[in-house]
Amino acid sequence: MLVLGIESSCDETAAALVREDGTVLADVVASQIAVHAPYGGVVPELASRAHLTNVLPVIEGALAEVDGGLDAVDAIAVTRGPGLVGALLVGVQAAKAIAWARDLPIVGVDHLIGHLFAVYLRRGEDDPPQPELPYVALLVSGGHTAIYEVTAPGEAVILGQTRDDAAGEAFDKVAKLLGLGYPGGPVVDRLAAKGDPRAIELPIPMSSRRTLDFSFSGLKTAVARHVEAHGVPTDEAAMADLCASFQRSVTRVLARKAVHACVQRGIPRLVLGGGVAANRGLRETARRLCAKHEVALFVPPLASCTDNAAMIAYAGAMRLAAGERDDLDLTAYSRSPDLRRGKFPKRRS
Ligand code: KG4
Ligand code: ZN
């Protein structure tokens, strides 16, 4: 079975072709970074318009990579939420139009479920090992920061989450404060590599192990206070020290709680996902703590961590394999519903 996946929840328009075993045949992503960079964050209306412009070329680009193009496709999977509703609707409408015209089955996919199973995508010979179920997943992106127990195909429960900003959002806001541009994560990461992480004392937000929840807004405020008192660093060494100190606070609390969740749940497998999984500080700290607690760490390749449609196609294939289908009245949602229906991430009581 070959599934066409379509993703448009935030600022990437993406299409991919994936087999039910996770083999990726095509994976096309059109980034809107240049559209939103002048504003230091994603502007929803501009995102919707850019999705409209990009969605068909991206789908055509993916289809051009397989023999037969659309004739080879057996089903369509599309992100239906969470995300910007105007943005999501572009992907959903494109998916419905193709499904209707070609009489193909369609399934809506929760974006977070997509991220949580992206570790099973197979991209080529250098594929890293894949975990068996269950595993703990730390999902850290610009829009989401949470720890999940991934229990079965397509199913997960949430163990803890941020109470305010997402980790990537904290990176982006601090970078904006320091005049480092958008998105801030990669720039802070690069500068942090040259700095002293102990140079500036910054709080470790909600560091208590009693909760697996996070909070990053206080840390952002602490950086703002530091800048108020000392000004934006003008030399590169001071800037590197500030970035390294900030990054240390964020990544330590993320890695500690994720590994603690593994220990607490008795699950010696941790998977990283989301754009912030690219962070070298986070990878290094997670590697160290996992080794110490005998937890196997799985870090998917970057193309599987950041927003992409291959993970949506694969999650869709899991739904299809379970005999699930949606109708053409499929709609988008901005937040994952509190599902007593049971398929989506929810808090373990
Ligand atoms: O998953 P993603 O591509 O998109 C969503 O937010 O869904 O993640 C983007 C986020 C941005 O906030 C970006 O600043 C952050 O991931 N990011 C990083 C790094 N690379 C990307 N944060 C820290 N260090 C990085 N190397
Ligand atoms: Zn995402």
Side-chain angles (χ1 to χ4, degrees):
M1 184 173 59
L2 187 64
V3 180
L4 167 64
I6 300 173
E7 153 68 36
S8 68
S9 65
C10 189
D11 59 344
E12 268 93 20
T13 322
L17 291 161
V18 177
R19 292 205 191 284
E20 73 273 21
D21 68 353
T23 304
V24 180
L25 301 189
D27 183 14
V28 179
V29 182
S31 164
Q32 300 177 10
I33 284 179
V35 174
H36 304 290
Y39 308 95
V42 177
V43 183
E45 179 59 24
L46 294 183
S48 306
R49 291 183 202 181
H51 284 307
L52 268 179
T53 310
N54 294 340
V55 72
L56 291 182
V58 160
I59 293 171
E60 282 162 0
L63 292 172
E65 288 180 44
V66 293
D67 287 342
L70 197 48
D71 290 340
V73 172
D74 298 302
I76 302 182
V78 61
T79 307
R80 60 181 309 203
L84 304 167
V85 167
L88 287 160
L89 284 174
V90 176
V92 167
Q93 289 307 115
K96 283 188 197 176
I98 300 169
W100 180 74
R102 288 296 186 122
D103 199 18
L104 290 170
I106 182 170
V107 280
V109 168
D110 188 277
H111 180 83
L112 302 175
I113 292 286
H115 273 300
L116 291 176
F117 291 88
V119 67
Y120 292 128
L121 293 173
R122 298 161 195 251
R123 293 180 177 276
E125 281 174 10
D126 299 332
D127 282 344
Q130 299 177 338
E132 60 185 76
L133 288 162
Y135 53 85
V136 170
L138 172 66
L139 178 55
V140 272
S141 74
H144 310 283
T145 293
I147 299 174
Y148 299 85
E149 180 174 333
V150 180
T151 50
E155 291 186 31
V157 286
I158 194 159
L159 301 177
Q161 64 189 320
T162 182
R163 295 190 183 173
D164 40 58
D165 293 347
E169 194 179 355
F171 270 95
D172 294 339
K173 286 180 175 172
V174 163
K176 191 173 178 182
L177 200 72
L178 299 176
L180 297 175
Y182 172 84
V187 192
V188 171
D189 189 3
R190 204 163 53 241
L191 284 162
K194 295 183 229 159
D196 173 7
R198 290 168 205 276
I200 296 149
E201 184 106 10
L202 292 170
I204 296 198
M206 283 185 67
S207 56
S208 162
R209 284 202 200 158
R210 266 173 291 154
T211 168
L212 294 174
D213 281 353
F214 303 99
S215 166
F216 295 108
S217 67
L219 177 58
K220 178 193 64 196
T221 308
V223 175
R225 293 240 170 81
H226 179 84
V227 168
E228 262 165 41
H230 304 276
V232 173
T234 45
D235 68 291
E236 200 178 315
M239 184 65 97
D241 283 351
L242 184 52
C243 287
S245 302
F246 163 75
Q247 180 168 297
R248 175 173 185 259
S249 282
V250 176
T251 55
R252 274 177 44 132
V253 75
L254 288 171
R256 275 187 191 173
K257 291 201 179 190
V259 174
H260 185 60
C262 294
V263 173
Q264 210 177 44
R265 302 290 312 145
I267 300 173
R269 289 171 292 279
L270 175 64
V271 173
L272 301 188
V276 184
N279 186 270
R280 281 170 284 177
L282 177 60
R283 288 175 176 223
E284 180 47 40
T285 312
R287 208 169 294 140
R288 190 164 42 76
L289 290 181
C290 281
K292 186 169 158 194
H293 292 276
E294 295 183 347
V295 169
L297 178 65
F298 299 85
V299 187
L302 198 54
S304 297
C305 286
T306 54
D307 281 354
N308 66 86
M311 68 184 192
I312 301 304
Y314 181 66
M318 285 192 295
R319 285 201 62 196
L320 290 157
E324 297 174 24
R325 300 277 186 283
D326 283 309
D327 296 320
L328 290 178
D329 61 0
L330 176 74
T331 54
Y333 51 77
S334 60
R335 291 172 174 274
S336 289
D338 169 27
L339 284 169
R340 270 145 289 165
R341 279 175 276 153
K343 282 286 175 199
F344 293 75
K346 61 174 181 266
R347 179 175 292 276
R348 179 180 288 276
S349 55

